[in-house]
């Protein structure tokens, strides 16, 4: 067994250094959206985690304290979570944009609950805010799942790794 010397650990904990370090961990991307006061609202999260609890059914994500959209989205009675696929990279950037109509031209689905879902996502989860816990410069948000729909014909997942969008490649068999 080879041991790593503690001296080889980087002790620079400034945000830029941590962002580079954390980028080594690949994550999926979720769009969290709802209709609020008749208008679509939404954020994207690469910190989304499923399976936090099965009873009750809980998922979670982290949101920056400086988010201008989360305070608008938070009071929605239901939030639609769409797990994004490889075809959603442009949509992800559009929803994450700080300017313009972030939902222009998107194929969206909603129902009377106000949860808003993106077309062709691999998974939809209809959720409500269960709890929010302060966590430094972010808040950790627990969402209770009220319903779900899987879409087997969806593309491979969109992955965020190395500070860039990536796609899973499926090996070709001869």
């Amino acid at each position: 067994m080879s041991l790593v010397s503690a001296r080889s650990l980087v002790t620079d904990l400034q945000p830029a250094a941590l962002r580079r370090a954390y980028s080594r961990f690949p994550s999926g991307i979720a769009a969290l959206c709802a209709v609020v006061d008749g208008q679509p609202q939404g954020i994207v999260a690469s910190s989304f985690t499923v399976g936090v609890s099965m009873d009750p059914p809980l998922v979670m994500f982290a949101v920056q304290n400086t988010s201008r959209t989360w305070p608008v989205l938070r009071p929605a009675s239901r939030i639609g979570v769409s797990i994004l696929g490889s075809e959603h990279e442009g949509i992800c950037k559009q929803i994450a944009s700080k300017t313009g109509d972030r939902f222009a031209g998107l194929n969206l689905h909603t129902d009377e609950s106000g949860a808003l879902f993106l077309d062709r996502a691999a998974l939809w989860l209809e959720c409500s805010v269960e709890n929010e816990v302060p966590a430094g410069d972010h808040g950790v948000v627990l969402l209770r799942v009220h319903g779900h729909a899987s879409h087997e014909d969806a593309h491979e997942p969109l992955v965020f790794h190395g500070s860039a969008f990536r796609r899973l490649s499926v090996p070709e068999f001869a």
Side-chain angles (χ1 to χ4, degrees), residues 61-133:
F61 73 101
V63 62
Q64 291 179 335
N65 293 339
T66 58
S67 170
R68 292 178 297 164
T69 305
W70 178 240
V72 175
L73 187 59
R74 178 191 292 125
S77 63
R78 292 288 194 266
I79 296 172
V81 177
S82 300
I83 304 302
L84 302 184
S86 58
E87 69 183 72
H88 293 115
E89 181 177 340
I91 292 170
C92 179
K93 290 177 181 177
Q94 181 176 336
I95 293 173
S97 172
K98 297 193 184 318
T99 61
D101 182 350
R102 300 179 321 162
F103 291 89
L106 300 185
N107 290 324
L108 305 169
H109 303 272
T110 191
D111 60 21
E112 65 280 350
S113 75
L116 191 60
F117 302 99
L118 295 171
D119 196 35
R120 300 191 45 79
L123 174 65
W124 289 346
L125 299 170
E126 184 182 75
C127 300
S128 63
V129 175
E130 178 81 3
N131 196 8
E132 193 168 355
V133 180

